[in-house]
Amino acid sequence: MEISETIGYVASLLVGLSLLMGDMKRLRYINGMGCLLFVIYGWQLGAYPVVIMNSFCIIVNLYHIHKLSTKTPG
């Protein structure tokens, strides 16, 4: 198995696992890590639509992590 294939499988696993999370912040972190691996995977394969979409997902995840981190209690 090549390294790019392994990266793709790990990315898929992380994105899939993130969907099982109840804690939104944890979901965003795990999903973001999966998306980052998909960016690396897509880049290695020259699959630029994969790179673009997952880069966008990383930005969305970072935005929501920031919102969750700055939310005032109460």
Side-chain angles (χ1 to χ4, degrees), residues 8-71:
Y9 282 123
V10 173
S12 296
L13 179 68
L14 288 174
V15 170
L17 282 175
S18 74
L19 299 176
L20 299 173
M21 301 287 148
D23 178 1
M24 270 316 227
K25 200 170 188 180
R26 178 177 279 174
L27 181 152
R28 296 289 179 184
Y29 276 115
I30 305 269
N31 189 274
M33 288 187 288
C35 290
L36 178 60
L37 288 177
F38 268 129
V39 167
I40 295 166
Y41 174 74
W43 196 270
Q44 288 177 336
L45 296 180
Y48 299 111
V50 173
V51 172
I52 292 167
M53 184 62 210
N54 283 283
S55 296
F56 173 73
C57 290
I58 290 169
I59 292 167
V60 170
N61 280 318
L62 289 172
Y63 169 77
H64 284 290
I65 289 169
H66 176 71
K67 272 183 62 174
L68 290 167
S69 296
T70 59
K71 187 185 269 187

